[in-house]
Amino acid sequence: MTTQYINPYTGNLLIDRMRPILSPQEALDVLTYLPRMPEDVANIPRHIRLHHLQMLRELHVVSREEAKLADTFDLMIRSNYHHLDPQQPSTWSSLRGEGFGARPKPPAMSALITGLPGTGKTSAIRNTLSTYEQVIFHESFPQASRPLKQVVWMSCDVPASGRSADLASTLMYEWNRLCKSSRFEHLLGLNRRKGSVMLEEWQQAASAQFLGLLHLDEIQNLFRLPALAKRRNKTKNEDEIELSIVEDECLKFFFNMYNTGRFALAYSGTPDGMYALTKRLATTQRFTTGGAHQFRHFEDPNESDFRRLLLPELMRYQFVAKPLELNDSFAELILELSGGIFRIIIALWVAAHRIAFERTKSDELRITDFKKAADTYLAPLGPAIKALRSRDPVQMRRFSDLAYQDDAFWASIWQR
């Protein structure tokens, strides 16, 4: 039961129908998902157990960083709607571009989220956003002659091309899908389309329907990656290899969205792209007004998120008659074989069971099953895991999305 409190947003139509502000424990309960473990596993045929095991991919144990991110998103969405109260005349003046003489509205809040691939940043973002009703239907709305669909949040990937026209198309297709609309069908059907014009038209539509937060993932797609040979030939003492922006129109669009303050913004991606995005103070200060979050891979077998949160839950999902026991050496082995990356840890767990199921004379999970799984099912990941665990910049640079640049801003986030 939510504790009674003085709601700072009482009377705001955009917020009243959103879920309540959650306490830390309520947020933890909502964000955590533990798949059902079947009873009497030993009597389930192994080929059926294997399918139960696949449900482990749905496991979601909330890290401390995800809990912080949930607070960030809630603050960003509600703060944005607070300054867009539809019952205030100044809101409509601002939307029409007539804000002369009115008190200036603060710019939109923005947040940056980064982490190596597989560390859980995207799943944490979408898990958090899914706690909100995405589209709220208002039968009546101030200044509107017909019902209004309020889009609380929207999440899209930056297209691989990094071009403004493709980004605009992605946003338009997703908007039409969410709102069950044909709003952009004509524009999407044109052979020649100017990206900046399309982005502006999409922004106007999103503003008119009070989009609360826009999340753009795979932000590294905005930049061109240097050739692999160039990255490999760079030594420890050389300057950073610069990533070049594919098209300036995308960054201009981001700045415009921030300055107009119509909806909150969240950008996520791998460290290489995030580093390129934050090379200038003018950019960084705009993109971090809501906060910066880094999802780390596990490095220490005793760190809280790994040893006290993830591993105890994971140990419950042993689909054998004779399970393993958790100890220090086993925890260290998991990090050694997975690089401490959550997605690989789950893949390793599933693969080790497959190795165990191949034995017909025993029904147990062994340490050697995990080693064999890493050498067989997960063998292609071996070089990247070795490079990551080495912490050697030269080795890590062979894999562009492992390369944390020596940057004071992200180093401070890494250490917190």
Side-chain angles (χ1 to χ4, degrees), residues 137-278:
F137 183 78
H138 297 269
E139 285 281 2
S140 60
F141 201 82
Q143 303 286 325
S145 59
R146 55 186 178 182
L148 182 135
K149 292 179 180 178
Q150 171 194 346
V151 181
V152 177
W153 62 271
M154 177 172 156
S155 178
C156 292
D157 288 352
V158 173
S161 69
R163 298 192 178 281
S164 58
D166 294 332
L167 175 60
S169 295
T170 298
L171 293 170
M172 288 178 172
Y173 277 120
E174 179 62 9
W175 190 264
N176 280 356
R177 185 191 72 81
L178 277 179
C179 298
K180 296 180 173 57
S181 165
S182 58
R183 169 71 174 77
F184 299 111
E185 279 188 3
H186 173 70
L187 193 57
L188 289 168
L190 298 177
N191 290 326
R192 293 189 177 185
R193 301 168 295 178
K194 185 172 178 57
S196 59
V197 174
M198 295 174 68
L199 288 170
E200 174 62 26
E201 184 162 344
W202 175 84
Q203 185 178 355
Q204 290 176 2
S207 300
Q209 290 184 230
F210 294 92
L211 175 63
L213 181 144
L214 172 65
H215 165 232
L216 292 173
D217 200 6
E218 308 294 352
I219 204 72
Q220 67 274 6
N221 287 344
L222 293 174
F223 302 93
R224 294 186 183 93
L225 188 65
L228 178 60
K230 184 175 181 180
R231 299 199 308 273
R232 284 177 171 169
N233 291 334
K234 179 180 176 296
T235 67
K236 294 181 181 179
N237 298 322
E238 289 179 324
D239 293 335
E240 298 91 348
I241 293 176
E242 296 288 342
L243 299 183
S244 58
I245 187 77
V246 172
E247 196 176 298
D248 286 338
E249 290 299 333
C250 291
L251 275 185
K252 291 177 182 177
F253 172 60
F254 295 163
F255 279 127
N256 184 53
M257 286 194 295
Y258 172 83
N259 291 331
T260 56
R262 301 288 172 78
F263 40 85
L265 305 158
Y267 305 97
S268 60
T270 51
D272 52 344
M274 204 60 70
Y275 175 78
L277 191 67
T278 57

Side-chain angles (χ1 to χ4, degrees), residues 18 92 270 335 416:
M18 289 175 56
W92 298 98
T270 51
L335 291 192
R416 77 181 181 191

